[in-house]
Amino acid sequence: MRILVAGAGGLVGLPLTRELIARGHEVIGTSRNPDTRPELRHAGATVVRMDAFDLASVEHAVVEARPDAVIHQLTDLSGIDFEANAELRIVGTRNLVDAMLRYGVQRLITQSVAWLYTDGRGPADETVPLREATGPGARTVEGVVAMEHASAQIPNHVILRYGKLYGPGTWYSPDGDFGRAARDGVLAGNGIESFLHIEDAIAPTVAALGWPTDTVNVVDDEPAGPADWLPVFCRWVGAPQPKGLGPGRGRGASNAKARALGWVPRYPSWRAGMSG
């Protein structure tokens, strides 16, 4: 297949591009500044210039790529700027979908998140609605809802709701922002989480090119509250052991659908992934 990877130079986008090429696909990766992404060319990808906020630029990239499918990996989280990331999800996805509709591209795989479900008992499956856009995280919810709604306008689409990414290059790593926060004693956890090792984001994203239209949680097997996962994380990143941790609110997410589709996580529990 000819595949346009929007956000090909990102944390998931780059190893995803390499895996797609290894499997024989032709990959066209986008970048706002192609000259700064030699690693994409070294991987064997063609690089096209694209500014996701500029519809004409997005349309040009789609026309140049002539893709059979698009994989949406656009994020803006390098500076932990949730407002900027929400804006990219809203405007960038809208432009990408409009360009696909205009030029007849009918297959879209979109990266979403699995931690915005409404509260309830037990891990949430994909039928559980997302929470209301209120409170401090309202803009993040608005961004995800808009992104998923726009993506669903493509006839053949798969929305992958990733768990909290951890591992090399992520916030949840010894060198990441949350690793540093843990060593500073200011990381308390946000409730019950479903994690996903960064290496486990690649295989299901590639496989989703052949999955039926759907929304699928891509998370590990073990949702956990901060009293369980945070001490393990602190040992991993060399931080003091936290004190006074409760079980946490929330519910995590179920990966039963992804497993039924044939995905098996390399790291079925964060316990293994955060051990070294």
Side-chain angles (χ1 to χ4, degrees):
M1 297 175 68
R2 286 178 60 87
I3 301 169
L4 179 66
V5 179
L11 189 62
V12 175
L14 182 56
L16 173 64
T17 293
R18 291 173 174 148
E19 180 64 18
L20 289 166
I21 291 170
R23 289 173 175 265
H25 297 290
E26 185 175 355
V27 176
I28 302 92
T30 74
S31 173
R32 293 186 69 175
N33 187 355
D35 294 337
T36 66
R37 294 299 184 184
E39 64 273 22
L40 289 173
R41 291 192 175 89
H42 293 161
T46 301
V47 186
V48 297
R49 188 181 307 275
M50 190 185 87
D51 179 353
F53 290 101
D54 181 347
L55 177 58
S57 175
V58 178
E59 289 185 342
H60 176 78
V62 171
V63 169
E64 187 170 343
R66 296 176 289 108
D68 301 303
V70 173
I71 300 180
H72 177 354
Q73 290 287 334
L74 295 168
T75 58
D76 187 357
L77 288 169
S78 59
I80 314 187
D81 189 338
F82 298 108
E83 176 67 29
N85 198 50
E87 190 70 9
L88 180 59
R89 282 171 168 157
I90 294 168
V91 179
T93 306
R94 182 71 267 162
N95 287 340
L96 191 61
V97 167
D98 284 349
M100 292 177 66
L101 291 171
R102 179 172 182 179
Y103 293 104
V105 184
Q106 298 190 16
R107 186 67 173 168
L108 175 63
I109 313 300
T110 295
Q111 176 201 132
S112 189
V113 299
W115 60 85
L116 295 178
Y117 287 112
T118 54
D119 288 341
R121 295 177 61 86
D125 66 21
E126 296 82 355
T127 66
V128 174
L130 301 183
R131 69 181 66 155
E132 294 293 326
T134 59
R139 189 61 172 164
T140 294
V141 178
E142 289 174 359
V144 169
V145 169
M147 177 180 67
E148 292 194 359
H149 177 75
S151 297
Q153 294 174 12
I154 299 300
N156 301 311
H157 66 271
V158 178
I159 296 168
L160 300 175
R161 290 178 175 164
Y162 293 169
K164 292 283 181 74
L165 293 173
Y166 73 100
T170 71
W171 292 348
Y172 290 93
S173 69
D175 297 328
D177 289 282
F178 292 160
R180 288 188 288 273
R183 288 191 292 274
D184 291 339
V186 295
L187 182 64
N190 295 317
I192 296 175
E193 306 279 14
S194 278
F195 286 100
L196 181 71
H197 194 284
I198 186 66
E199 293 180 12
D200 273 328
I202 308 307
T205 306
V206 174
L209 290 164
W211 287 354
T213 294
D214 213 339
T215 298
V216 183
N217 291 333
V218 181
V219 298
D220 73 13
D221 294 348
E222 189 178 357
D228 292 320
W229 72 263
L230 192 50
V232 176
F233 179 75
C234 286
R235 285 194 294 273
W236 181 38
V237 303
Q241 282 297 295
K243 299 178 181 179
L245 298 174
R249 296 183 56 193
R251 63 193 305 179
S254 166
N255 66 9
K257 182 184 289 187
R259 279 186 165 275
L261 288 164
W263 175 61
V264 178
R266 179 178 177 182
Y267 294 90
S269 170
W270 46 269
R271 297 180 190 275
M274 294 182 184
S275 64

